[in-house]
Amino acid sequence: MSFAQRLKKARTDKGLSQTELGNLAGIHYTQVGRYENKGAQPSADVLSKLANVLGVSSDYLTNGTTDELAESTLSDKELLNQFRAIEKMPDTDKSVIKTLIDAFITKRRVQQLAL
């Protein structure tokens, strides 16, 4: 699946219209349509907002990584156990943790681009 297909599937799985997703993510609904239908790619900041609203990771939206793939390829068992513990937390706590992780990932990507 492409980014556009994963975004649309995550949105429909969540029961959201393009307008609702746009409002929750702080972007115009027409931009959501561009992402889903025209092949437009969001900035890292918008990608993070979309992922948070949809309850998925930015990596899932961009690369299609699934939890099963992460579990089968994650070699750091301590990290895997931490993710399992996070899954049991209330949604508000998970949202904060996801935001922090996305911030670190985005920072690292920007650093790599600057090289």
Side-chain angles (χ1 to χ4, degrees):
M1 267 197 295
S2 68
F3 167 78
Q5 293 167 323
R6 284 187 294 276
L7 177 63
K8 186 173 185 175
K9 181 179 181 334
R11 177 180 61 76
T12 57
D13 286 351
K14 198 83 164 165
L16 298 173
S17 68
Q18 289 181 347
T19 301
E20 291 167 328
L21 176 58
N23 288 340
L24 292 169
I27 60 174
H28 199 271
Y29 76 92
T30 58
Q31 192 60 39
V32 175
R34 288 183 190 112
Y35 298 145
E36 290 184 1
N37 303 311
K38 306 280 187 199
Q41 296 292 316
S43 67
D45 181 50
V46 172
L47 178 63
S48 177
K49 290 177 184 179
L50 290 168
N52 285 335
V53 169
L54 295 170
V56 298
S57 69
S58 298
D59 193 44
Y60 167 77
L61 289 176
T62 56
N63 302 315
T65 303
T66 63
D67 292 339
E68 294 80 21
L69 178 60
E71 191 168 298
S72 68
T73 60
L74 192 58
S75 60
D76 187 331
K77 298 303 179 193
E78 181 182 7
L79 189 57
L80 181 58
N81 288 332
Q82 289 172 328
F83 285 137
R84 286 184 177 138
I86 291 167
E87 281 185 321
K88 297 174 185 171
M89 293 181 179
D91 287 343
T92 54
D93 291 346
K94 285 193 273 189
S95 179
V96 169
I97 292 168
K98 288 176 186 177
T99 301
L100 290 170
I101 291 171
D102 281 338
F104 279 109
I105 291 170
T106 301
K107 178 183 174 187
R108 181 67 179 143
R109 286 180 181 157
V110 169
Q111 288 173 334
Q112 289 173 339
L113 290 174
L115 295 178

